Amino acid sequence: MRRVAITGIGAISALGRNTAEFAEALREGRSGIGPIESADVSQLRFQNGAEVKGYSHAPYFDDRRADFLDRFAQFAVIAAREAVADAAIQWTPELCETAAIITGSCVGGQSTEDTGFHEVYKLGHSRVHPLTIPKTMANAGASHISIEFGITGPSFTISTACSSAGHAIGQAYWMVRTGITELALTGGSEAPFSFGILKAWEAMRVVSPDTCRPFSKGRRGMILGEGAAMLVLEPLDAALARGARIHAEIVGFGMSADACHITQPSAEGAARAMRAALRDGGLQPEQIGYINAHGTATPANDPTEVAAIRAVFGAHAERLAVSSTKSMHGHALGAAAALECLATILALRDGVLPPTANFNEPDPECDLDVIPNQAREAKVEYALSNSFAFGGLNAVLALRSRG
Amino acid sequence: MSDELIQRVLKVIATSKRIPLETVSIDGDFQQMGIDSMDAVEILFALENEFDISIPDDEVRNVRNIRQMCEGVEKLVAAKSAGTQAAQ
């Protein structure tokens, strides 16, 4: 089996329009959470989100092209462009024919659907815009990336709620590792700020009225986020041969299903996914130095995740650094695992572990080293990125620094 | 608390949880009845519709049984009718 290198990275999120801005915000522990601007929140119980502030398609797409892309698909293409440029890929006809695109998205272009359905249900219009279907489909991100670069290899989208991008990246990793493809573009994108979706989240009573404080006693729930992160994966040997810059390696991928409740998390399910990732990478728990936690800041997730980490790592849990970067980029649903995998890559590459921002009071039920508020310089060789979705479908990636 | 209000709350719980009305009493405890967090948000949604009230998250955080739930609904219904009278 081949080792797999990450040779390109790209991102757009509440923390900025590119990877450099994303990295800077994480180092500074600066949160991108603020009053929601892209939807009317006057009839909502919560007011804050982690949006791409002041976003307009204009610098990225001409008006006619933008007509075909929901905001979530625009984010996917923007992040993919940065990742491809970063990797300095030399496209050949053969590479275009075999490269893979695997994206994650939870809600797809539901903002577009929301607008169209509002017109027929509420405004009494007799027709919906003909681009509603192609803009809404969750695979639109992958499709537009393929069109953008002329990639004609295996391309698809995975939708597993908050684990979507984790499953996508893991699948892409396995496809490169086993020789199914020589290059994969993978990650996730999401843009869930439409009134209908916000109302649905409000009804679940899991969104915080102020901010996202993972692992804090005063946590009051999650904060929705948006954006995209994309990675270029290649066989390590091929990447070295062409002199590519290698940000980090992916070394393991584990999945599990809780098989117990549609929304309540299970420590056992989470632990099984972490163990599976370690096993897949041939790693011992003691080799892990950092975990980018799922860390949603809901009352239920955080203590469950801490219990799962303790179950997997035993005494080593005391020596682990664990943080939730959702405290800064929000919970970007189907893009969450991609943004968090990117945060993990940057932590390994730069030797700076991102903090859990907005931390205000320790919770005895979450008593791990959660890197409160201040980033920490530390050379870590191996790290995990955890994703535990509604529906109980879990995905964990194991990464390795280039040393 | 009026019997009418209590009966309406019990009926909402029975309907949401799809259990016989006679198995739901004001002395019921959520944990003993197997009402989990997702059941609870469904019941809150149904209560908001039944009584035409909005139940803030802060009001529900410490509610553990049906009596507390009835008391909370009574308070919000009273606040609503006071608001309506003030508006008139």
Side-chain angles (χ1 to χ4, degrees):
Chain A
M1 284 195 302
R2 309 188 295 185
R3 287 169 68 176
V4 177
I6 300 156
T7 56
I9 52 180
I12 180 166
S13 73
L15 301 182
R17 302 296 176 90
N18 55 52
T19 304
E21 291 178 17
F22 183 77
E24 187 184 313
L26 294 182
R27 270 198 301 273
E28 293 174 358
R30 175 159 37 87
S31 174
I33 294 167
I36 294 168
E37 292 171 357
S38 59
D40 178 9
V41 294
S42 58
Q43 301 302 314
L44 277 176
R45 289 200 187 105
F46 59 88
Q47 312 290 316
N48 295 329
E51 295 173 289
V52 179
K53 290 281 181 314
Y55 177 77
S56 152
H57 70 266
Y60 305 104
F61 303 96
D62 67 43
D63 291 347
R64 187 56 190 144
R65 177 102 193 273
D67 286 344
F68 289 83
L69 284 86
D70 180 90
R71 185 170 167 118
F72 99 99
Q74 295 183 21
F75 290 161
V77 171
I78 291 165
R81 282 176 182 163
E82 187 192 354
V84 165
D86 180 54
I89 300 165
Q90 300 297 311
W91 292 109
T92 62
E94 191 191 8
L95 187 56
C96 283
E97 201 176 313
T98 55
I101 303 165
I102 306 171
T103 63
S105 183
C106 174
V107 303
Q110 271 190 22
S111 303
T112 295
E113 195 173 76
D114 215 23
T115 303
F117 289 0
H118 176 77
E119 284 168 4
V120 283
Y121 292 149
K122 184 80 189 286
L123 303 179
H125 294 179
S126 62
R127 57 185 73 87
V128 168
H129 195 280
L131 285 172
T132 303
I133 297 292
K135 285 173 76 175
T136 300
M137 60 196 192
N139 59 301
S143 300
H144 284 287
I145 291 170
S146 77
I147 292 165
E148 175 88 10
F149 299 104
I151 295 169
T152 55
S155 300
F156 55 95
T157 295
I158 294 176
S159 192
T160 46
C162 318
S163 295
S164 301
H167 282 111
I169 294 167
Q171 185 64 34
Y173 159 62
W174 278 351
M175 284 174 67
V176 174
R177 185 171 78 170
T178 54
I180 293 171
T181 185
E182 294 303 308
L183 185 145
L185 249 170
T186 183
S189 75
E190 205 76 87
F193 289 95
S194 86
F195 186 65
I197 298 172
L198 296 177
K199 269 286 171 196
W201 279 101
E202 176 190 76
M204 287 205 71
R205 296 176 186 266
V206 291
V207 180
S208 168
D210 52 3
T211 192
C212 174
R213 304 184 191 282
F215 307 117
S216 280
K217 197 163 173 57
R219 69 185 179 278
R220 299 178 73 185
M222 55 181 269
I223 288 285
L224 285 165
E226 67 173 355
M230 293 291 162
L231 314 175
V232 174
L233 308 184
E234 296 177 69
L236 178 67
D237 289 345
L240 290 171
R242 75 176 181 90
R245 179 186 187 187
I246 294 159
H247 296 283
E249 286 178 62
I250 302 184
V251 296
F253 172 46
M255 298 181 268
S256 71
D258 291 348
C260 64
H261 192 278
I262 199 67
T263 55
Q264 277 173 10
S266 143
E268 271 183 37
R272 273 201 309 275
M274 284 187 269
R275 287 195 188 103
L278 293 172
R279 198 165 54 242
D280 187 58
L283 297 170
Q284 296 303 312
E286 292 72 25
Q287 290 178 271
I288 304 296
Y290 168 68
I291 298 178
N292 187 295
H294 187 56
T296 56
T298 60
N301 176 81
D302 296 3
T304 306
E305 184 166 10
V306 168
I309 289 170
R310 287 200 174 282
V312 173
F313 291 92
H316 184 65
E318 301 303 328
R319 291 186 292 277
L320 273 173
V322 180
S323 68
S324 169
T325 48
K326 284 189 176 79
S327 55
M328 293 173 274
H329 53 64
H331 192 344
L333 307 179
L339 290 169
E340 289 157 27
C341 182
L342 176 58
T344 310
I345 293 164
L346 295 169
L348 294 171
R349 187 193 72 182
D350 300 338
V352 180
L353 306 183
T356 300
N358 309 318
F359 188 87
N360 63 357
E361 192 186 347
D363 179 348
E365 283 194 287
C366 305
D367 57 343
L368 294 174
D369 170 11
V370 298
I371 320 179
N373 298 321
Q374 297 275 326
R376 182 184 304 162
E377 287 193 21
K379 278 283 172 201
V380 167
E381 187 176 8
Y382 291 98
L384 296 184
S385 179
N386 281 349
S387 301
F388 310 131
F390 273 169
L393 308 187
N394 310 306
V396 175
L397 295 161
L399 292 94
R400 181 186 187 182
S401 110
R402 284 298 293 157
Chain B
M1 255 184 306
S2 76
D3 277 350
E4 189 237 336
L5 180 136
I6 294 167
Q7 286 309 314
R8 281 168 74 189
V9 172
L10 298 184
K11 192 168 176 218
V12 163
I13 294 168
T15 307
S16 293
K17 185 80 177 143
R18 295 184 184 274
I19 52 178
L21 181 58
E22 54 273 23
T23 65
V24 187
S25 93
I26 181 118
D27 299 315
D29 174 89
F30 292 161
Q31 200 174 355
Q32 284 168 2
M33 294 174 71
I35 292 176
D36 67 22
S37 62
M38 199 64 229
D39 294 330
V41 295
E42 277 195 82
I43 291 166
L44 293 168
F45 166 74
L47 288 171
E48 287 181 323
N49 284 339
E50 170 70 19
F51 292 94
D52 190 24
I53 52 174
S54 177
I55 305 174
D57 291 344
D58 287 340
E59 295 284 335
V60 305
R61 193 153 296 128
N62 299 312
V63 173
R64 296 279 177 273
N65 57 53
I66 295 178
R67 187 174 298 276
Q68 289 170 342
M69 183 171 261
C70 289
E71 287 164 359
V73 168
E74 185 188 38
K75 195 174 91 180
L76 290 167
V77 169
K80 187 184 76 162
S81 71
T84 311
Q85 282 165 9
Q88 288 165 352

PDB file of all heavy atoms in Angstrom, chain A residues 263-282:
ATOM      1  N   THR A 263     -30.011  11.187  17.256  1.00  0.00           N
ATOM      2  CA  THR A 263     -29.303  12.444  17.531  1.00  0.00           C
ATOM      3  C   THR A 263     -28.352  12.376  18.728  1.00  0.00           C
ATOM      4  O   THR A 263     -27.370  13.098  18.762  1.00  0.00           O
ATOM      5  CB  THR A 263     -30.284  13.613  17.773  1.00  0.00           C
ATOM      6  OG1 THR A 263     -31.181  13.254  18.810  1.00  0.00           O
ATOM      7  CG2 THR A 263     -31.060  13.951  16.519  1.00  0.00           C
ATOM      8  N   GLN A 264     -28.658  11.532  19.708  1.00  0.00           N
ATOM      9  CA  GLN A 264     -27.787  11.505  20.884  1.00  0.00           C
ATOM     10  C   GLN A 264     -26.481  10.771  20.579  1.00  0.00           C
ATOM     11  O   GLN A 264     -26.509   9.670  20.030  1.00  0.00           O
ATOM     12  CB  GLN A 264     -28.490  10.805  22.057  1.00  0.00           C
ATOM     13  CG  GLN A 264     -29.412  11.743  22.815  1.00  0.00           C
ATOM     14  CD  GLN A 264     -30.223  11.018  23.870  1.00  0.00           C
ATOM     15  OE1 GLN A 264     -29.986   9.854  24.174  1.00  0.00           O
ATOM     16  NE2 GLN A 264     -31.198  11.714  24.419  1.00  0.00           N
ATOM     17  N   PRO A 265     -25.350  11.386  20.932  1.00  0.00           N
ATOM     18  CA  PRO A 265     -24.065  10.743  20.631  1.00  0.00           C
ATOM     19  C   PRO A 265     -23.805   9.557  21.542  1.00  0.00           C
ATOM     20  O   PRO A 265     -24.363   9.452  22.632  1.00  0.00           O
ATOM     21  CB  PRO A 265     -23.053  11.858  20.887  1.00  0.00           C
ATOM     22  CG  PRO A 265     -23.697  12.754  21.892  1.00  0.00           C
ATOM     23  CD  PRO A 265     -25.180  12.678  21.636  1.00  0.00           C
ATOM     24  N   SER A 266     -22.925   8.665  21.064  1.00  0.00           N
ATOM     25  CA  SER A 266     -22.558   7.477  21.841  1.00  0.00           C
ATOM     26  C   SER A 266     -21.048   7.457  22.007  1.00  0.00           C
ATOM     27  O   SER A 266     -20.300   7.546  21.027  1.00  0.00           O
ATOM     28  CB  SER A 266     -23.036   6.221  21.095  1.00  0.00           C
ATOM     29  OG  SER A 266     -22.105   5.176  21.231  1.00  0.00           O
ATOM     30  N   ALA A 267     -20.596   7.349  23.264  1.00  0.00           N
ATOM     31  CA  ALA A 267     -19.150   7.286  23.512  1.00  0.00           C
ATOM     32  C   ALA A 267     -18.562   6.030  22.882  1.00  0.00           C
ATOM     33  O   ALA A 267     -17.462   6.051  22.342  1.00  0.00           O
ATOM     34  CB  ALA A 267     -18.871   7.310  25.022  1.00  0.00           C
ATOM     35  N   GLU A 268     -19.315   4.951  22.909  1.00  0.00           N
ATOM     36  CA  GLU A 268     -18.812   3.695  22.329  1.00  0.00           C
ATOM     37  C   GLU A 268     -18.601   3.811  20.830  1.00  0.00           C
ATOM     38  O   GLU A 268     -17.594   3.347  20.292  1.00  0.00           O
ATOM     39  CB  GLU A 268     -19.814   2.558  22.578  1.00  0.00           C
ATOM     40  CG  GLU A 268     -19.589   1.829  23.867  1.00  0.00           C
ATOM     41  CD  GLU A 268     -20.578   0.681  24.004  1.00  0.00           C
ATOM     42  OE1 GLU A 268     -20.897   0.035  22.994  1.00  0.00           O
ATOM     43  OE2 GLU A 268     -21.025   0.459  25.134  1.00  0.00           O
ATOM     44  N   GLY A 269     -19.563   4.434  20.152  1.00  0.00           N
ATOM     45  CA  GLY A 269     -19.443   4.596  18.695  1.00  0.00           C
ATOM     46  C   GLY A 269     -18.256   5.470  18.341  1.00  0.00           C
ATOM     47  O   GLY A 269     -17.490   5.163  17.408  1.00  0.00           O
ATOM     48  N   ALA A 270     -18.091   6.563  19.085  1.00  0.00           N
ATOM     49  CA  ALA A 270     -16.970   7.468  18.844  1.00  0.00           C
ATOM     50  C   ALA A 270     -15.648   6.753  19.094  1.00  0.00           C
ATOM     51  O   ALA A 270     -14.695   6.874  18.316  1.00  0.00           O
ATOM     52  CB  ALA A 270     -17.105   8.697  19.746  1.00  0.00           C
ATOM     53  N   ALA A 271     -15.603   5.992  20.176  1.00  0.00           N
ATOM     54  CA  ALA A 271     -14.367   5.272  20.516  1.00  0.00           C
ATOM     55  C   ALA A 271     -14.033   4.237  19.435  1.00  0.00           C
ATOM     56  O   ALA A 271     -12.869   4.078  19.055  1.00  0.00           O
ATOM     57  CB  ALA A 271     -14.519   4.593  21.883  1.00  0.00           C
ATOM     58  N   ARG A 272     -15.064   3.563  18.933  1.00  0.00           N
ATOM     59  CA  ARG A 272     -14.813   2.564  17.877  1.00  0.00           C
ATOM     60  C   ARG A 272     -14.201   3.202  16.637  1.00  0.00           C
ATOM     61  O   ARG A 272     -13.316   2.635  15.998  1.00  0.00           O
ATOM     62  CB  ARG A 272     -16.112   1.835  17.513  1.00  0.00           C
ATOM     63  CG  ARG A 272     -16.414   0.623  18.378  1.00  0.00           C
ATOM     64  CD  ARG A 272     -17.385  -0.327  17.665  1.00  0.00           C
ATOM     65  NE  ARG A 272     -18.559   0.402  17.188  1.00  0.00           N
ATOM     66  CZ  ARG A 272     -19.633   0.662  17.912  1.00  0.00           C
ATOM     67  NH1 ARG A 272     -19.694   0.236  19.111  1.00  0.00           N
ATOM     68  NH2 ARG A 272     -20.652   1.333  17.424  1.00  0.00           N
ATOM     69  N   ALA A 273     -14.675   4.409  16.284  1.00  0.00           N
ATOM     70  CA  ALA A 273     -14.133   5.083  15.091  1.00  0.00           C
ATOM     71  C   ALA A 273     -12.682   5.492  15.317  1.00  0.00           C
ATOM     72  O   ALA A 273     -11.838   5.356  14.417  1.00  0.00           O
ATOM     73  CB  ALA A 273     -14.984   6.300  14.751  1.00  0.00           C
ATOM     74  N   MET A 274     -12.365   5.992  16.524  1.00  0.00           N
ATOM     75  CA  MET A 274     -10.963   6.366  16.807  1.00  0.00           C
ATOM     76  C   MET A 274     -10.062   5.127  16.768  1.00  0.00           C
ATOM     77  O   MET A 274      -8.976   5.154  16.193  1.00  0.00           O
ATOM     78  CB  MET A 274     -10.864   7.072  18.169  1.00  0.00           C
ATOM     79  CG  MET A 274     -11.358   8.511  18.128  1.00  0.00           C
ATOM     80  SD  MET A 274     -11.052   9.413  19.675  1.00  0.00           S
ATOM     81  CE  MET A 274     -12.564   9.095  20.562  1.00  0.00           C
ATOM     82  N   ARG A 275     -10.530   4.042  17.380  1.00  0.00           N
ATOM     83  CA  ARG A 275      -9.732   2.805  17.370  1.00  0.00           C
ATOM     84  C   ARG A 275      -9.529   2.297  15.945  1.00  0.00           C
ATOM     85  O   ARG A 275      -8.446   1.824  15.585  1.00  0.00           O
ATOM     86  CB  ARG A 275     -10.418   1.712  18.207  1.00  0.00           C
ATOM     87  CG  ARG A 275     -10.327   1.958  19.703  1.00  0.00           C
ATOM     88  CD  ARG A 275     -10.680   0.696  20.505  1.00  0.00           C
ATOM     89  NE  ARG A 275     -10.758   1.026  21.916  1.00  0.00           N
ATOM     90  CZ  ARG A 275     -11.904   1.184  22.586  1.00  0.00           C
ATOM     91  NH1 ARG A 275     -13.069   1.001  21.977  1.00  0.00           N
ATOM     92  NH2 ARG A 275     -11.893   1.498  23.867  1.00  0.00           N
ATOM     93  N   ALA A 276     -10.577   2.427  15.133  1.00  0.00           N
ATOM     94  CA  ALA A 276     -10.478   1.956  13.739  1.00  0.00           C
ATOM     95  C   ALA A 276      -9.446   2.778  12.970  1.00  0.00           C
ATOM     96  O   ALA A 276      -8.690   2.234  12.151  1.00  0.00           O
ATOM     97  CB  ALA A 276     -11.848   2.040  13.059  1.00  0.00           C
ATOM     98  N   ALA A 277      -9.396   4.080  13.233  1.00  0.00           N
ATOM     99  CA  ALA A 277      -8.419   4.937  12.544  1.00  0.00           C
ATOM    100  C   ALA A 277      -6.996   4.573  12.975  1.00  0.00           C
ATOM    101  O   ALA A 277      -6.083   4.513  12.138  1.00  0.00           O
ATOM    102  CB  ALA A 277      -8.707   6.404  12.833  1.00  0.00           C
ATOM    103  N   LEU A 278      -6.821   4.315  14.259  1.00  0.00           N
ATOM    104  CA  LEU A 278      -5.496   3.922  14.762  1.00  0.00           C
ATOM    105  C   LEU A 278      -5.071   2.590  14.135  1.00  0.00           C
ATOM    106  O   LEU A 278      -3.945   2.424  13.665  1.00  0.00           O
ATOM    107  CB  LEU A 278      -5.515   3.799  16.289  1.00  0.00           C
ATOM    108  CG  LEU A 278      -5.730   5.106  17.083  1.00  0.00           C
ATOM    109  CD1 LEU A 278      -5.909   4.799  18.569  1.00  0.00           C
ATOM    110  CD2 LEU A 278      -4.567   6.068  16.888  1.00  0.00           C
ATOM    111  N   ARG A 279      -6.021   1.648  14.115  1.00  0.00           N
ATOM    112  CA  ARG A 279      -5.734   0.321  13.559  1.00  0.00           C
ATOM    113  C   ARG A 279      -5.386   0.434  12.074  1.00  0.00           C
ATOM    114  O   ARG A 279      -4.424  -0.171  11.596  1.00  0.00           O
ATOM    115  CB  ARG A 279      -6.968  -0.571  13.766  1.00  0.00           C
ATOM    116  CG  ARG A 279      -6.710  -2.057  13.646  1.00  0.00           C
ATOM    117  CD  ARG A 279      -7.872  -2.868  14.216  1.00  0.00           C
ATOM    118  NE  ARG A 279      -9.156  -2.504  13.635  1.00  0.00           N
ATOM    119  CZ  ARG A 279     -10.183  -2.000  14.335  1.00  0.00           C
ATOM    120  NH1 ARG A 279     -10.094  -1.822  15.634  1.00  0.00           N
ATOM    121  NH2 ARG A 279     -11.315  -1.695  13.729  1.00  0.00           N
ATOM    122  N   ASP A 280      -6.155   1.245  11.350  1.00  0.00           N
ATOM    123  CA  ASP A 280      -5.936   1.409   9.909  1.00  0.00           C
ATOM    124  C   ASP A 280      -4.546   1.982   9.639  1.00  0.00           C
ATOM    125  O   ASP A 280      -3.925   1.666   8.628  1.00  0.00           O
ATOM    126  CB  ASP A 280      -7.009   2.321   9.326  1.00  0.00           C
ATOM    127  CG  ASP A 280      -6.942   2.412   7.821  1.00  0.00           C
ATOM    128  OD1 ASP A 280      -7.043   1.356   7.158  1.00  0.00           O
ATOM    129  OD2 ASP A 280      -6.782   3.537   7.291  1.00  0.00           O
ATOM    130  N   GLY A 281      -4.085   2.859  10.563  1.00  0.00           N
ATOM    131  CA  GLY A 281      -2.781   3.484  10.382  1.00  0.00           C
ATOM    132  C   GLY A 281      -1.651   2.715  11.054  1.00  0.00           C
ATOM    133  O   GLY A 281      -0.501   3.162  11.024  1.00  0.00           O
ATOM    134  N   GLY A 282      -1.963   1.572  11.688  1.00  0.00           N
ATOM    135  CA  GLY A 282      -0.941   0.808  12.397  1.00  0.00           C
ATOM    136  C   GLY A 282      -0.337   1.596  13.547  1.00  0.00           C
ATOM    137  O   GLY A 282       0.859   1.512  13.820  1.00  0.00           O
TER     138      GLY A 282
END
